[in-house]
Amino acid sequence: QVQVVESGGGLVQAGGSLRLSCTASGLTVNDKAMAWFRQAPGKEREGVSCIAASGFSDDYADTVKGRFTISRDNTKNTLYLQMNSLKPEDTAMYYCAVKSSYFCYGSWQRQAYFDYWGQGTQVTVSS
């Protein structure tokens, strides 16, 4: 049984930092791209960042470029998202997703291309 579990969310002041983690079990992720999505109340879920299976290629939404860093440790089946200089508009439920392909490709922000999802971890940034 495949499980994807996020952790590391919480309440932080604007300008602060958080590090999210996502651990997958029941599957091997070293040949699969992984990504972070987020969904704020009343808004659609949006792609935040994606990283290829090797960890050597990644992409970011324009809204988080320069502030967030995605990384992975395939020996631990774990994905990370380091979030710095957080803003109130970063407040959302953050989801981890696993894609069956090796690379993210240009369409990575489309949810339909991801096969496994976690339940999410809440990030709240106060002003």
Side-chain angles (χ1 to χ4, degrees), residues 37-40 43-47 93 95 109 111 117-118:
F37 286 75
R38 68 184 181 185
Q39 187 168 19
K43 294 189 177 182
E44 292 187 354
R45 192 174 297 188
E46 63 175 359
M93 185 71 78
Y95 298 91
Q109 291 179 302
Q111 301 174 56
W117 291 83

Side-chain angles (χ1 to χ4, degrees), residues 6 33-40 43-50 93-101 104-118:
E6 303 94 336
M34 299 180 74
W36 290 98
F37 286 75
R38 68 184 181 185
Q39 187 168 19
K43 294 189 177 182
E44 292 187 354
R45 192 174 297 188
E46 63 175 359
V48 174
S49 182
C50 185
M93 185 71 78
Y94 283 71
Y95 298 91
C96 173
V98 183
K99 192 177 186 186
S100 292
S101 64
C104 295
Y105 298 110
S107 58
W108 68 266
Q109 291 179 302
R110 297 179 68 176
Q111 301 174 56
Y113 290 153
F114 288 83
D115 301 290
Y116 305 102
W117 291 83

Side-chain angles (χ1 to χ4, degrees), residues 1-7 21-29 32-37 45 76-80 94-99 114-121:
Q1 181 181 358
V2 174
Q3 283 192 315
V4 178
V5 180
E6 303 94 336
S7 62
S21 298
C22 164
T23 301
S25 59
L27 78 166
T28 301
V29 299
K32 298 175 177 63
M34 299 180 74
W36 290 98
F37 286 75
R45 192 174 297 188
K76 298 180 179 179
N77 265 23
T78 300
L79 176 72
Y80 303 99
Y94 283 71
Y95 298 91
C96 173
V98 183
K99 192 177 186 186
F114 288 83
D115 301 290
Y116 305 102
W117 291 83
Q119 294 299 308
T121 184

Side-chain angles (χ1 to χ4, degrees), residues 11 19 27 67 73 81 85 98 101 103 109-112:
L11 173 64
R19 188 193 195 203
L27 78 166
R67 299 188 298 122
D73 184 344
L81 185 69
S85 303
V98 183
S101 64
F103 295 104
Q109 291 179 302
R110 297 179 68 176
Q111 301 174 56

